[in-house]
Amino acid sequence: MTITDDSAAGALLGNGRLVLAATPMGQRDDASPRLRAALTTADVVAAEDTRRAKSLASALGVTIGGRVVSYYDQVEAQRTPALVAEITGGATVLLITDAGMPSVSDPGYRLVVACADAGLAITCLPGPSAVTTALALSALPVERFCFDGFAPRKTGQRRAWLGELVEQPRTVVFFESPHRLADTLVDAVSVLGPTRRAAVCRELTKTYEEVKRGTLEELARWAADGVRGEITVVIEGAVPVEQDLDTLVERVGVLVDAGAGLKDACAQVAAPTTTGKRELYQAVLDSR
C-alpha cells in the first residue's frame, strides 16, 4: 500500500494542486472568504455547471480569473486526465459543484482519486453541506450516523436497501428526489415500521426551507400530496431491544460459520440490542 501525503506543508510546496470547495446551497452569504479568493486566483475552475459558476461569482462580486471548464457526471471520465495533467504541470484547479461539497453525491470523486494516485496535492475549502445541515436540524441522535447518498430508484432495490437499516443502530441520512419521496416513505413504513422517527428537510438554507419531523407514518401521509424542492431525509437508528441471549448466541454462530471473526460477529449481533458485545462474547465461549 502506498501512503500519500496531503499535509498543508506538502500542498504549499507542490507546484500544482486540486482545491475542492463547498459552494452555497441557497444563500450566497454562506460562501467563505476562501472560496471568493479561490475563484479569482485559480488557474482553472472546473464546475458542474459553468453558467451557475459564473452566476455565483457575479453574485459574490468577484471575477473568475482562470479558465472555466465543465465537469459534470457525463464528462468526468473524459475531463479527468486533462485536469490531472494541468495540475501536474503546476496549475491550481478549483473544483466546485452546483451546491454543497464536491464528491458528496456530486462530481469530484474520480478526480480526487486520480490526483491521489498521481501523488498530487489536494486540499479542501470547507463549507455548506446538506448532509450535516439536515442532521443538525433533524432533532434525532446524530452522535453516530451514516450517509447513503441517493436512495435506490427501483422499488425492489429500495426495499432491500431499507432492509439493511432494520437493525442499523446509527442514524442514516440520504438524498431523495421530490417525485419519489412519497413512495420511499411508504416503503420505509413497511420495512422499518410506522413508529420509527425521521425528518424530511426541504430546500435547506433557501427561501422556502422546511423541516418536517415525525414518525415515518406521519411523514408518509404528509408527503402523499406531493413535495417540491431538494430533499434530504434523516431516519433514526434502530432502538436497542431486549432479546434472548441464547438466540443471540445462535446468530453469532451463523455468522462465524459463514466466515466472520468471533469478536466481529458478537459486535454485529449485539449492536441493535441491549446486550453488550462483551457479555455476548462470553456467552458464546460458555456455550462451547
Side-chain angles (χ1 to χ4, degrees), residues 169-192:
R170 295 174 293 178
T171 294
V172 62
V173 56
F174 61 94
F175 298 146
E176 185 53 287
S177 70
H179 65 273
R180 287 195 298 270
L181 177 64
D183 290 340
T184 294
L185 290 175
V186 168
D187 286 341
V189 169
S190 175
V191 177
L192 301 177

Side-chain angles (χ1 to χ4, degrees), residues 11-209:
L12 290 172
L13 293 173
N15 291 326
R17 68 166 74 177
L18 170 64
V19 180
L20 307 172
T23 52
M25 295 185 292
Q27 299 294 328
R28 69 182 186 186
D29 289 341
D30 290 339
S32 70
R34 295 177 68 196
L35 171 61
R36 296 169 190 259
L39 285 167
T40 67
T41 59
D43 299 299
V44 180
V45 175
E48 184 176 10
D49 185 322
T50 58
R51 291 169 299 180
R52 293 187 67 167
K54 293 173 182 177
S55 177
L56 173 63
S58 177
L60 297 177
V62 300
T63 300
I64 296 177
R67 191 173 83 260
V68 181
V69 299
S70 60
Y71 194 80
Y72 51 95
D73 290 340
Q74 288 75 16
V75 300
E76 274 192 273
Q78 173 189 345
R79 297 280 163 84
T80 293
L83 291 174
V84 170
E86 296 218 44
I87 297 170
T88 302
T92 293
V93 173
L94 175 68
L95 177 62
I96 60 174
T97 57
D98 291 346
M101 180 62 69
S103 290
V104 182
S105 288
D106 269 333
Y109 171 76
R110 190 188 299 267
L111 182 56
V112 171
V113 171
C115 288
D117 288 346
L120 298 172
I122 308 168
T123 189
C124 182
L125 309 184
S129 168
V131 176
T132 52
T133 302
L135 285 165
L137 291 172
S138 69
L140 296 172
V142 294
E143 291 83 3
R144 300 176 65 221
F145 69 89
C146 55
F147 171 59
D148 268 12
F150 278 89
R153 296 185 178 188
K154 296 183 178 179
T155 301
Q157 295 175 349
R158 184 167 61 237
R159 290 177 66 88
W161 164 69
L162 287 166
E164 297 173 1
L165 305 181
V166 172
E167 295 185 350
Q168 170 58 257
R170 295 174 293 178
T171 294
V172 62
V173 56
F174 61 94
F175 298 146
E176 185 53 287
S177 70
H179 65 273
R180 287 195 298 270
L181 177 64
D183 290 340
T184 294
L185 290 175
V186 168
D187 286 341
V189 169
S190 175
V191 177
L192 301 177
T195 61
R196 183 82 70 98
R197 293 184 301 160
V200 176
C201 305
R202 188 178 73 86
E203 293 290 90
L204 288 171
T205 79
K206 299 177 183 177
T207 302
Y208 298 104
E209 176 179 288

